[in-house]
Amino acid sequence: MPGTVLLLCLALGPVLRARCESTEEYDYDYLSINKTWVLTPKAQETDATQILNSLLKNYDNKLRPDIGIKPTFIDVDIYVNSIGPVSVIQMEYTIDIFFAQTWYDRRLRFNSTLKALTLNTNMVSRIWIPDTFFRNSKRADSHWITTPNQLLRIWNDGKVLYTLRLTIEAECLLQLQNFPMDTHSCPLVFSSYGYPREEIVYRWRRYSIEVSDQRTWRLYQFDFTGLRNTSEVLRTGAGEYMVMTVSFDLSRRMGYFAIQTYIPCILTVVLSWVSFWIKRDSTPARTSLGITTVLTMTTLSTISRKHLPRVSYITAMDLFVSVCFIFVFAALMEYATLNYLVGNKKPVEHNNRKARLPPTCAQVMPSFTTININNIMHWPAEMEDDEDEDGSPCLEGKECERFFCCIEDCQTGMWREGRVRIHISRLDSYSRVFFPTAFLLFNIVYWIAYLYL
C-alpha cells in the first residue's frame, strides 16, 4: 500500500507543479494590472493635493488678479439651453443658460505633469471669481440638483475656467404697436457689479454664443430668428462699467390669433350683411340680427385684450377689431335709418301746382332724399321743387334747406342744383355693394401695411 501511494505521487507531481505555476503566473499578472490601475491615480491625487495646498497657502481671494498693475480680462461664453416661455403681460422671458467665464490668475500657476485641475464647488469660495450680475434679471436661480451645477478648472499657466448653469427671468420691453404681427429683441444684459472698466474688462470670444436644439424650447407663440451680441460702456456716478448684451430676436406666430380673433371678426361682419337681403318690413329679424352681431363683436373685443398688458396705445389687433365693430354697428344703423325715413314720410299735396305739372307726372313716385354736392347740372328755375322749413310740403318759390328734402315726385330726372337725390327704398341695394367693397378695401390696406411695410 505505501508503494502504491508513492507511485501515484510520482506520477501526479509534474501535473500539480505545472498547475501551481500557471496559477501563480495568473495571480502575478492580475496583481500587476491592479497595481498599475490603482497606484497611478494615487500618485496624481497626492500631487494634486500638494499643488492645491501650495497654491492656496498665501492666496488672498479678496483681491483680483494683477491688482494695481493692469485690468483683468474676462472672456465670456454662453450656451443657451432653452428660451421660453415669454410672458406678454409681465413683459419678461425665461432663459436657461450655461454661463462660462475665463481669466488668468498668475497666483494659480503651478509646475507639474498635470495640465489642468478639475475641481468642484468647494474650491469656488477659496479663490477670486468675478462679481458678474445680470442687470435686467427679475429672478435668477442656480441649479443645485444633485450637486451644485458649477465647474472650476485651473490650468498650469494660471488660466481659470468657471462655469455654472442659471435659469433667469429677464425683463423684455415689448413694443406691441404691431401686435400680433410684431417682432421683438429680448436682451440679456450683464456686467461687473463693483469693478469699473479700469479693473475688469469683459470680452466676447469668437463663436462665444451657441444654442441647443430649438425643438425643445417653449416658444409657443414665437419663432427664434437669430441673436446678436454687443458690448458698450455705461457711464455712471460710480465710474464707467463694461456692459455686455445678448439680444434674442423673436417673431410672433399669427396662427393662434387668426383662429381666435381675426376669422371670427370677419365672419361676424359678413353675417351682419345678411340683413341687407331681409325684407325691410321684417323688423324683428333684422333688429335681432344686428344686435346679436354687435354683442358678438363686443365679446371678441374683450377677449382680444384679455392676454395683453394695459398699454395706452392702439395695437394692430385693436384697430382691426374696432373697424369690424364699426362695420357691424353701421349695418344695424342702416336699417334704423331706412325704417325711420320710410316710416315717417308725409304725403305731399300738389293742389297749388297741379296746373303746372304735366299729366304724366300725376302718379305718385317713390320717395327720395337729397345730399349736398357740388353743382353738377342746373335745373330750369321753373322746375325746381321747394319745401317748407318745418317739414311741410314745399311751397312754391321757397328753397329747401334741410338735408332730407321733402320732394316726393320727380318729373325732371336725378339731378338738381347742389343736390343729388337718393332712392330711399333702394338703400339696402346700395348697402349690398358699399359695405363689402369698403370692408375689402380696408383688409387690403390693413394687411399690406402691417405685413409688408
Side-chain angles (χ1 to χ4, degrees), residues 178 181 444-453:
N178 294 334
M181 284 86 67
I444 293 175
V445 174
Y446 177 87
W447 294 111
I448 291 177
Y450 280 103
L451 292 180
Y452 300 104
L453 299 182

Side-chain angles (χ1 to χ4, degrees), residues 27-38:
D27 293 341
Y28 177 78
D29 293 340
Y30 178 76
L31 290 176
S32 64
I33 294 175
N34 285 342
K35 179 180 178 180
T36 303
W37 183 72
V38 172

Side-chain angles (χ1 to χ4, degrees), residues 74 189 296:
I74 301 176
V189 187
T296 302

Side-chain angles (χ1 to χ4, degrees), residues 341 345-350 353 357 364-371 379 383-388 391-395 398-424:
L341 294 177
K345 66 179 181 178
K346 298 180 180 180
V348 180
E349 298 178 0
H350 302 281
R353 305 184 58 189
L357 295 179
V364 178
M365 300 296 292
S367 59
F368 291 87
T369 186
T370 62
I371 298 176
W379 288 13
M383 293 185 178
E384 290 186 356
D385 293 327
D386 302 319
E387 66 180 358
D388 188 68
S392 60
C394 296
L395 300 178
K398 189 169 185 178
E399 181 67 22
C400 292
E401 298 180 357
R402 293 180 172 241
F403 180 77
F404 295 107
C405 188
C406 59
I407 300 174
E408 290 290 344
D409 295 350
C410 171
Q411 65 270 24
T412 57
M414 288 294 297
W415 297 97
R416 186 184 182 209
E417 181 180 359
R419 295 179 176 84
V420 60
R421 296 186 301 153
I422 298 177
H423 205 305
I424 295 178

Side-chain angles (χ1 to χ4, degrees), residues 316-377:
M317 181 179 288
D318 292 336
L319 176 62
F320 188 86
V321 174
S322 299
V323 172
C324 290
F325 184 88
I326 292 174
F327 270 94
V328 170
F329 187 76
L332 176 63
M333 296 305 298
E334 182 270 347
Y335 176 67
T337 304
L338 175 64
N339 189 60
Y340 174 79
L341 294 177
V342 173
N344 290 276
K345 66 179 181 178
K346 298 180 180 180
V348 180
E349 298 178 0
H350 302 281
N351 296 332
N352 57 345
R353 305 184 58 189
K354 283 183 180 180
R356 295 176 52 190
L357 295 179
T360 57
C361 294
Q363 57 182 350
V364 178
M365 300 296 292
S367 59
F368 291 87
T369 186
T370 62
I371 298 176
N372 290 330
I373 61 171
N374 295 330
N375 294 339
I376 298 179
M377 66 180 298

Side-chain angles (χ1 to χ4, degrees), residues 293-312:
T293 53
V294 169
L295 293 178
T296 302
M297 283 305 308
T298 304
T299 304
L300 291 174
S301 176
T302 304
I303 295 176
S304 66
R305 298 288 302 180
K306 182 178 181 181
H307 301 290
L308 286 178
R310 297 179 179 177
V311 294
S312 58

Side-chain angles (χ1 to χ4, degrees), residues 3-4 11 33 62 66 70 77 100 107 110 132 150 159 177 181 185 254 294 332 335 356 362 405 415 426 448:
T4 304
I33 294 175
K62 297 186 296 295
D66 300 324
K70 62 179 181 179
D77 296 276
R107 298 171 295 178
F110 59 90
T132 306
Q150 298 178 355
K159 180 181 177 181
Q177 285 87 350
M181 284 86 67
S185 181
M254 274 200 59
V294 169
L332 176 63
Y335 176 67
R356 295 176 52 190
C405 188
W415 297 97
R426 295 180 183 176
I448 291 177

